Amino acid sequence: MDLMGYVIMRLLLTGASGYLGREISGQFNLLNKKIIKLSNKGQDTDYNCDLTDKKKSKYILNQIKPEKIIHCASFVPKNSHSYSNIKLLSKNVQILKNLLNYTKCPIINISSMSVYSGKTDKPLKEDDKYEPISFYGKCKLKCEELIEHSNRPGLSIRVPGLFGFPRKSGLVYNLLYSKKYNLPYKLPTIPLIWAAMHVSDAARSIIKLSNFTLDYSEKVNIGYDEKFSVNSFLRTLEETFNYNFNYKLNHPLFQLDLTKSKLYGANPKVNFKEVLINFHNQI
């Protein structure tokens, strides 16, 4: 990758009305950078299209003729059961196939930490062996492989679980809100692999990576440079806000190797604790 500035004039953002897509779009607006926004159904977008539909996708993409794509459009699990919803999550693979079939430009694919199994104490590198546990992770990995085998420049950005407004759900928000206002809360009942990143930090990292000229297929982890687990998150809340959790279940540690994102200057300048304090003050 070579830093060339924002030379791509027709930059298409898919999933522009989604959680991450809205944040990316808003930050491009702050940078006074014009992008083309596409969504399945949403306001304040340039085009609406169901990208799982081959015919509609071909028609819209031939109209847009993008020169680079940031691909955020995705069916994301809403609960533990939907991580294995094969029919729903397979649509993510179909969407990417349509983008590959009806465009020729580089694709920046938003992937997920779920492509890793997390069964190691070492920071996970982009080229480590993958053994996704969930079907969601398997679909995300399949999308990465499709780009890698498409013989076009591409970048898959592996993102941790996201939190931050306007979303009012997820472990981070639910625990901060419940503890701050002395309300009942729920904690995971089985061990799970967990890491988190504020949506605005993720968007900034993605935009920085989109600023590069791609000439081959690449994968990059983004996140905060530290180890994560549900237990370490609870300890941070206890130490920072004097909250108390009587919780005995042990969860595995998870850490992404961020050497590449640091090399490209795309790593956040803040740590998880600093972000938590700021988010807590906003709730």
Side-chain angles (χ1 to χ4, degrees):
M1 294 184 183
D2 296 313
L3 187 58
M4 300 293 291
Y6 289 93
V7 298
I8 300 298
M9 299 303 295
R10 298 190 64 78
L11 174 59
L12 171 64
L13 174 65
T14 71
S17 64
Y19 179 50
L20 178 58
R22 284 199 307 268
E23 185 67 28
I24 292 174
S25 176
Q27 293 199 27
F28 268 118
N29 287 340
L30 292 175
L31 294 169
N32 292 319
K33 302 297 180 182
K34 173 63 178 174
I35 62 172
I36 302 165
K37 295 176 286 186
L38 184 149
S39 175
N40 182 13
K41 48 182 179 180
Q43 299 177 344
D44 193 31
T45 56
D46 300 298
Y47 295 89
N48 287 335
C49 178
D50 178 2
L51 288 174
T52 65
D53 187 301
K54 294 181 182 180
K55 195 171 184 179
K56 292 179 181 178
S57 297
K58 182 178 181 179
Y59 175 76
I60 287 292
L61 293 169
N62 284 340
Q63 278 194 319
I64 297 172
K65 293 182 174 58
E67 297 176 80
K68 182 179 282 188
I69 299 171
I70 299 179
H71 177 41
C72 288
S74 179
F75 290 91
V76 180
K78 303 298 183 184
N79 52 54
S80 58
H81 300 294
S82 56
Y83 272 88
S84 297
N85 187 328
I86 296 175
K87 184 177 180 181
L88 176 69
L89 299 177
S90 295
K91 292 182 179 182
N92 291 331
V93 177
Q94 184 59 55
I95 289 172
L96 184 59
K97 284 182 177 179
N98 289 341
L99 289 176
L100 290 169
N101 286 337
Y102 305 127
T103 66
K104 296 181 179 180
C105 63
I107 296 180
I108 299 168
N109 170 52
I110 307 307
S111 190
S112 167
M113 60 170 267
S114 63
V115 301
Y116 297 109
S117 69
K119 295 178 180 179
T120 176
D121 292 332
K122 298 179 180 179
L124 289 157
K125 298 180 180 180
E126 288 85 352
D127 294 326
D128 284 343
K129 185 178 179 181
Y130 318 123
E131 295 178 358
I133 297 172
S134 67
F135 191 75
Y136 175 69
K138 291 176 182 178
C139 285
K140 285 295 187 181
L141 183 58
K142 176 64 175 178
C143 288
E144 292 186 9
E145 292 170 347
L146 286 172
I147 292 177
E148 190 172 0
H149 298 149
S150 67
N151 296 319
R152 77 166 77 188
L155 175 64
S156 288
I157 303 175
R158 293 172 176 168
V159 181
L162 300 177
F163 69 95
F165 293 120
R167 178 178 287 174
K168 294 183 178 181
S169 61
L171 187 64
V172 174
Y173 175 83
N174 288 337
L175 285 186
L176 287 177
Y177 184 85
S178 298
K179 276 297 192 178
K180 189 170 184 177
Y181 297 104
N182 197 28
L183 298 171
Y185 59 88
K186 292 182 179 180
L187 288 168
T189 56
I190 60 172
L192 55 83
I193 296 164
W194 183 85
M197 186 179 193
H198 196 280
V199 64
S200 63
D201 289 327
R204 279 189 284 270
S205 293
I206 291 165
I207 288 173
K208 286 181 180 179
L209 289 168
S210 76
N211 197 26
F212 287 80
T213 297
L214 304 171
D215 51 16
Y216 54 91
S217 181
E218 178 70 286
K219 297 179 286 285
V220 177
N221 296 326
I222 63 172
Y224 305 119
D225 194 11
E226 51 197 279
K227 293 181 179 180
F228 282 88
S229 75
V230 173
N231 303 97
S232 66
F233 171 47
L234 297 181
R235 284 196 299 271
T236 300
L237 295 184
E238 290 173 337
E239 295 167 0
T240 307
F241 306 112
N242 294 318
Y243 293 148
N244 182 51
F245 297 94
N246 185 20
Y247 188 62
K248 305 300 182 182
L249 184 63
N250 288 320
H251 295 261
L253 287 172
F254 181 89
Q255 185 176 15
L256 293 170
D257 185 293
L258 302 175
T259 302
K260 285 186 180 180
S261 61
K262 290 178 183 177
L263 178 65
Y264 301 138
N267 219 43
K269 305 300 182 184
V270 292
N271 60 44
F272 183 50
K273 182 176 179 179
E274 291 171 331
V275 175
L276 276 182
I277 292 172
N278 184 54
F279 188 51
H280 182 268
N281 292 337
Q282 297 174 15
I283 291 176

